[in-house]
Amino acid sequence: MEDLILQAMRARENAYAPYSGFFVGAALECEDGTVYTGCNIENASYTPTNCAERTAFFKAVSEGQRKFRRIAIVGGKQGEMTAPAPCGVCLQVMAEFCEPENFEILLAKGPKEYKRKKLGELLPCHFSLTDK
Ligand code: THU
């Protein structure tokens, strides 16, 4: 857990957030142990902004990964760590690939200070074309 959080903290250093000033990093652990990191990437036009969690997921899926164990997330304004929960859009992306009762979401303020949630706790229902 600690190492995954440290990787999320390192990814946060690359966050591009000149508009919100809120810097987020994520580290996604795949079933095979590979880790993909991500940061938020903002845009002058605002809506194209991509969250750290989705950056990590899209990197992983684009490399052929489909099975995931957990994701660590860190975020806050410059010099702060507030352990933000993922937004609804990111949770919907997670729900596309992960089992709600198994996939873990670590909301971290630091390597030793984190809350451990299941995807299903943060997103009890999600949109699906079939009734899962
Ligand atoms: N953000 C994330 O990267 N992940 C989330 O789950 C919530 C929000 C980013 C988007 C934006 O760049 C900044 O945080 C402020 O909303």
Side-chain angles (χ1 to χ4, degrees):
M1 308 289 164
E2 277 188 47
D3 189 56
L4 200 64
I5 293 167
L6 285 169
Q7 292 189 67
M9 289 170 71
R10 275 197 291 277
R12 181 177 180 251
E13 290 168 17
N14 293 326
Y16 177 73
Y19 306 104
S20 71
F22 196 87
F23 301 87
V24 187
L28 173 64
E29 186 182 306
C30 305
E31 199 71 41
D32 69 2
T34 312
V35 173
Y36 290 83
T37 60
C39 61
N40 54 330
I41 305 166
E42 296 188 346
N43 188 276
S45 185
Y46 295 123
T47 52
T49 293
N50 208 53
C51 292
E53 298 90 323
R54 273 177 292 141
T55 303
F57 263 87
F58 294 156
K59 280 169 71 178
V61 173
S62 69
E63 296 293 327
Q65 299 283 357
R66 294 280 167 87
K67 292 184 183 226
F68 305 102
R69 277 196 211 126
R70 58 181 64 87
I71 189 167
I73 306 159
V74 296
K77 298 254 177 190
Q78 193 96 49
E80 289 177 357
M81 288 287 239
T82 57
C87 77
V89 173
C90 288
L91 290 169
Q92 174 73 28
V93 168
M94 292 176 198
E96 184 71 27
F97 298 100
C98 309
E99 295 298 329
E101 61 281 3
N102 293 329
F103 186 68
E104 280 191 328
I105 301 174
L106 308 177
L107 308 175
K109 281 191 180 174
K112 290 190 195 296
E113 199 183 346
Y114 59 89
K115 284 185 228 146
R116 226 166 144 169
K117 302 277 185 191
K118 289 282 164 69
L119 173 58
E121 291 178 72
L122 299 186
L123 189 72
C125 298
H126 68 274
F127 177 73
S128 154
L129 288 179
T130 55
D131 198 25
K132 280 186 202 164

